[in-house]
Structure formats: structure tokens, C-alpha cells
Amino acid sequence: MTDSQPTLKGLAAKVAEVTEAFTRTLEENKIPEPTFAADSPTSYSGLTGEMFLQRQQLLDHLNDMIYLVQGPSESIFNYAHNCMPDVAALNILNHFDFWSAVPLAGSATYSEIALHTSLPEEVVTRVIEHATTLRIFEKTAFEPGTPLRIRHTSRSAALAKSAGLRALVSTVLDDAGPPMTVMQEALRRFNAGKTELAQDMTQTAFALYHSGALAGKYANSWEFIENDGEGGKKGWRQRTFVQFMDYIKEIFRLEDVVENAYDWKAAGTATVVDLGGSGGHDSIVLARKFPDLSIVVQDLPQAQPVFEKNVPADLKERVTYSAHDFFNPQPVQADVYMIKLILHDWPDKESVQILRGLVPALKPGARVLFIDYVGKQDELAGSASGPPLPRSIQQFGTSTDLRMLALFSAKERPVGAWKEIFRQADERFELVRVEANPLTFMVIIEAVWRG
Ligand SMILES: C[S@@+](CC[C@H](N)C(=O)[O-])C[C@H]1O[C@@H](n2cnc3c(N)ncnc32)[C@H](O)[C@@H]1O
């Protein structure tokens, strides 16, 4: 290992070596080592300058290990996926003083915390579930038949014990955080094309954020993504989103999930509607593999230009695009309606409406092939009473869950909730197959129309 090109093994050796030296000096100086328990010291007290430096070197090695163990792309992906939910969770916990809702030497149920914070129990549960992936609060041992209890870890306890730390979180995240999320827009408006920074207090991210002129009025994130921008720029966010979904398909190998979700070969000469099919990335692959399928990709108008660019000339006959708002009645009578990664963006009422939108076009025996994320990975893995999944895996779901809460008042649903959406939409949907896989984070539901 050279310093400029560290390797995992080299870093592990360095970590072991520096940890050994650091803990030895801690012992020599009688400085107690923090743990994750609520009664842990909240910091290393009395580090000498030299020990501080050593600790920071250790941190550098550990950070490098964290990057390398994920690899370049995933380390960026995971950071981008988690950092905003992490900030949101900490800010919410602090703002509603979850810290004092749980006794330092005891535990509390979700409903007790809900009462204390005046928030719905569902929100309390979802925020704490994400927080536990950051070792902020933890669940006590599972006891069948009793409600789950939450206790402090040393990290949440540090906030419960220190008004100063709470104030820091509030000032840095609650006051300065939101303006920092619009820095790119402030720079675009006030500094792009200039050679010097505009040193003007009316041209900061703060001024922009608090000006009331920041964002147009949109009913939801899709309306914003679809319509933001003027002239040729209009729809740029949707065009970027189409690329993002294509990328998600690649990295999670969703191509295999879609291919194996249904016996496409046995379907023979069939018409498929890919509802909310974005730029057609799934449909193009399916059509290529199964030459008897004809597929209509339906999405909002701004995804169409990307679709037209993506679709290979030899598939143009069989894979077509139709701008269709899925809250309107379905115009295409098809054999299979694929609904992939759509409903997790919507609350129950809208999800039910989207499914009901299909009904006018459904012929007896038509199928809805539903593919979406499934929440509660730990429960799925059957580990409620066994070893929990790694926090980094739980965090994947809890980060998405908090983002859905922020953007749509929606949630990552467990299998039962997905089945309930179908039941509420129409009792004539017969669910002939429900498969949930904690490793792919996906649930597949095949529903046959018995109308
Ligand atoms: C999370 S993406 C899923 C895309 C694709 N099905 C996939 O699995 O990669 C959700 C899609 O729903 C589309 N969408 C949102 N609101 C819509 C509406 N009212 N009608 C039709 N499509 C909509 C978005 O444009 C976006 O392409």
C-alpha cells in the first residue's frame, strides 16, 4: 500500500496498528473508551494533542476503508441516497425532542414517544427505524406478544444529556441546512458566467431560500419534474429522471427481475402496457428478448423524447410510446399491465386510484404484473427474532422510506399493505402470486382480473 493508493488489506493493517496505539494511550492516560451503551462517556475526555491527531488519522483510514469497501460508484450512490434522509431524521428527532421521550435508563414504546412528541405513531416509527441504522436509539430485545421498545444508544444519549449538542444540531441543520440545499440554484442565478463571486448578501443561498421566489407551485414532485424549466429546458428534470431510472435498472439488475417476474414466453403474442414506463428501458429489453410481445410504454409527455431516442429502429413497430396520465381511465386493452416502481411514490388513496384507472380496459383474464419495493426488510428476512440484517441494508430501505415521506406522504410498504391496496382497488383482482424477496428488496404480485 502506498499512501496515495491504499488497499483494503493495507488499510485494515493500518487500522489495527493505529487502533492498538490509540487504545494503549487511552489506557495509559486513564481515558475511558466510549461504547454504544446509553451510559457510555459521551466523548473522549482529555485527549492530548498527539492523541487527537492519532485519532483523526485512524478516522482517515476508516473513511478510506468505507469508500473502498463499497467501491467508487456505490460509495457515491449510498452517500447520495442516505445523506438527506440522515439529515432529515436527525433534524426531526431534535426538533421534536425525541431525546427526552425515552428515559436514559429505561425504554419507551413507539406510542409513548408519539404521545411525548405529538407526532403520529407511524411517523415516529419510520423516523426511529432510520435513526437506528445510524446507531441513534436502538430496539430492545424482541419479546413476543409485547410492543417493541426503544432505548437510547450512546449517540442519542449524548443529545439527551447536552443542551449544547442539541442547539448545535438545531442551528446547523434546522437554520442553515435548508438554504444549503439550494446553493446550486443560488450560484446558477447569481454567479454562473461570472469570474468573481458576487459578494452581495442579497445574492446568497440564504437570501434565495427565504425570498419566497424560489420554486413554482406544483401539486407533487412529478408535476415539478415534468414542468420545471422554460423553453427548451422544460422537462429537463424528467429527462434526467429517465436516465436515473435506467441506471437503477442496471445496478440492481432489475432486467432479471422483470424477465423472471412472468412467463413472458408462455404469454405468446401478447400486448403489454408498461404503465409509468419512463423512457422504455424495461420494455425495450423485454421486446428484444420476447419477439411476440407488443408493448405500449405509457408515461408523462416529457419522457417521450428520451424514449424516441432510446428505442432501436427495429423495435419501433412493437414498442411504442403513449403519453397517458395514469389517473385517467386506461385507453389500451392489453393482456398484461406492468406497474413497476410506481405505487411506492403514492399514498394509499392515489395508489388505489391508479389501479382503478385500469379497470375500464380490463378484459377477463387480463393480468396486472406489479413489481415494487418492499419495506421492512428485517421482518421479511424472518429475523424479527433472529439476527438483524446489517444496518447498511436496513438503511437502504429506511432512506427511501423517509424520502417518500418527504416528497409524497407515501411509504415503503410491507407485503400485506401491497395486497391491501389491490383489495381496496377492486375485489375482482385475484392475486394469484405474491413473491417478496428481501435480497432484491422487491415484491412481485401477479393479479388476474376476474371481472
Ligand atoms: C419511479 S418511476 C418508475 C419508472 C419505471 N416504471 C421503472 O420501473 O423504471 C415513476 C414513473 O411514473 C411516472 N409518472 C408519475 N406520475 C404519472 C402520471 N400521473 N401518469 C403517468 N406516469 C406518471 C414518472 O414520470 C416516472 O417515470
Side-chain angles (χ1 to χ4, degrees):
M1 173 180 82
T2 65
D3 271 355
S4 61
Q5 285 308 333
T7 62
L8 266 184
K9 269 192 174 173
L11 283 165
K14 265 267 174 245
V15 165
E17 181 193 316
V18 184
T19 303
E20 178 62 35
F22 181 58
T23 49
R24 201 172 44 241
T25 45
L26 286 179
E27 276 168 31
E28 283 163 10
N29 289 279
K30 302 209 169 18
I31 299 174
E33 210 180 298
T35 67
F36 287 115
D39 61 359
S40 156
T42 53
S43 53
Y44 293 95
S45 54
L47 289 188
T48 62
E50 200 181 337
M51 289 168 78
F52 175 74
L53 200 62
Q54 198 171 43
R55 198 264 304 262
Q56 297 310 112
Q57 274 162 354
L58 180 55
L59 202 52
D60 282 2
H61 296 318
L62 289 168
N63 279 332
D64 279 349
M65 279 193 89
I66 288 172
Y67 299 141
L68 278 188
V69 82
Q70 296 173 90
S73 301
E74 274 170 84
S75 68
I76 296 291
F77 181 113
N78 292 334
Y79 179 73
H81 179 57
N82 295 326
C83 68
M84 300 303 271
D86 290 357
V87 165
L90 183 56
N91 202 9
I92 294 165
L93 295 172
N94 200 53
H95 188 88
F96 291 94
D97 191 20
F98 279 52
W99 320 124
S100 68
V102 179
L104 272 170
S107 61
T109 61
Y110 284 131
S111 66
E112 287 163 353
I113 301 171
L115 208 63
H116 189 94
T117 55
S118 304
L119 284 172
E121 186 174 331
E122 180 194 332
V123 174
V124 165
T125 308
R126 291 167 69 181
V127 172
I128 290 184
E129 275 179 348
H130 187 70
T132 59
T133 70
L134 302 166
R135 285 211 189 258
I136 296 174
F137 292 119
E138 64 186 10
K139 296 169 187 170
T140 61
F142 176 70
E143 281 182 37
T146 62
L148 218 126
R149 300 193 73 82
I150 299 301
R151 68 176 170 221
H152 275 286
T153 61
S154 56
R155 274 159 61 77
S156 56
L159 283 139
K161 292 172 191 171
S162 167
L165 193 57
R166 294 196 294 274
L168 174 132
V169 171
S170 179
T171 308
V172 173
L173 298 190
D174 213 36
D175 301 354
M180 290 200 73
T181 63
V182 299
M183 280 178 80
Q184 79 292 349
E185 181 59 12
L187 290 172
R188 189 188 70 77
R189 289 191 189 200
F190 305 133
N191 285 282
K194 298 188 180 153
T195 53
E196 303 270 325
L197 171 73
Q199 293 196 24
D200 180 338
M201 294 265 286
T202 65
Q203 300 194 342
T204 60
F206 179 91
L208 178 62
Y209 186 82
H210 289 283
S211 66
L214 194 57
K217 189 169 171 353
Y218 298 106
N220 60 49
S221 163
W222 296 119
E223 211 182 291
F224 166 60
I225 284 175
E226 184 74 4
N227 294 300
D228 185 47
E230 276 163 25
K233 264 292 230 179
K234 184 168 167 178
W236 72 275
R237 290 182 194 274
Q238 177 66 281
R239 294 191 285 279
T240 309
F241 189 84
V242 172
Q243 276 181 319
F244 165 56
M245 289 316 297
D246 194 19
Y247 180 67
I248 291 284
K249 182 197 90 180
E250 294 298 324
I251 55 171
F252 291 117
R253 305 209 179 97
L254 296 185
E255 197 171 314
D256 297 344
V257 173
V258 172
E259 187 179 341
N260 298 325
Y262 189 65
D263 193 347
W264 298 105
K265 202 164 167 39
T269 310
T271 305
V272 179
V273 164
D274 182 2
L275 197 76
S278 191
H281 45 260
D282 290 321
S283 295
I284 290 167
V285 175
L286 267 187
R288 174 71 68 220
K289 285 202 175 133
F290 302 98
D292 292 333
L293 298 180
S294 298
I295 311 181
V296 183
V297 176
Q298 294 179 338
D299 207 294
L300 298 171
Q302 294 292 347
Q304 182 157 9
V306 191
F307 169 85
E308 301 300 350
K309 222 168 85 196
N310 285 351
V311 64
D314 64 317
L315 291 182
K316 279 193 168 155
E317 293 269 292
R318 284 195 296 122
V319 189
T320 53
Y321 192 96
S322 159
H324 168 66
D325 179 341
F326 48 46
F327 288 103
N328 291 333
Q330 175 58 237
V332 179
Q333 198 172 63
D335 301 291
V336 182
Y337 297 85
M338 182 163 79
I339 309 185
K340 175 166 158 280
L341 300 184
I342 300 298
L343 300 191
H344 82 122
D345 289 330
W346 299 93
D348 290 2
K349 182 170 134 247
E350 284 76 8
S351 296
V352 164
Q353 279 170 1
I354 293 168
L355 285 181
R356 282 190 188 148
L358 297 176
V359 170
L362 293 176
K363 56 186 178 191
R367 266 146 222 270
V368 173
L369 183 63
F370 170 83
I371 304 173
D372 215 314
Y373 293 128
V374 64
K376 310 276 181 203
Q377 271 80 23
D378 48 349
E379 284 172 20
L380 254 185
S383 60
S385 55
L389 284 177
R391 279 187 303 278
S392 54
I393 297 185
Q394 293 178 41
Q395 194 181 40
F396 204 86
T398 58
S399 280
T400 309
D401 184 55
L402 289 194
R403 193 170 298 116
M404 293 307 109
L405 177 63
L407 295 184
F408 304 107
S409 253
K411 65 182 109 186
E412 293 305 299
R413 298 177 175 92
V415 180
W418 285 126
K419 293 205 268 193
E420 180 59 19
I421 299 274
F422 271 90
R423 200 195 60 73
Q424 277 181 32
D426 203 301
E427 302 263 1
R428 288 169 291 179
F429 284 118
E430 185 193 345
L431 309 190
V432 293
R433 194 159 54 95
V434 180
E435 282 169 19
N437 183 339
L439 294 180
T440 60
F441 299 93
M442 289 286 163
V443 59
I444 296 168
I445 297 180
E446 188 181 329
V448 179
W449 181 247
R450 300 296 184 203

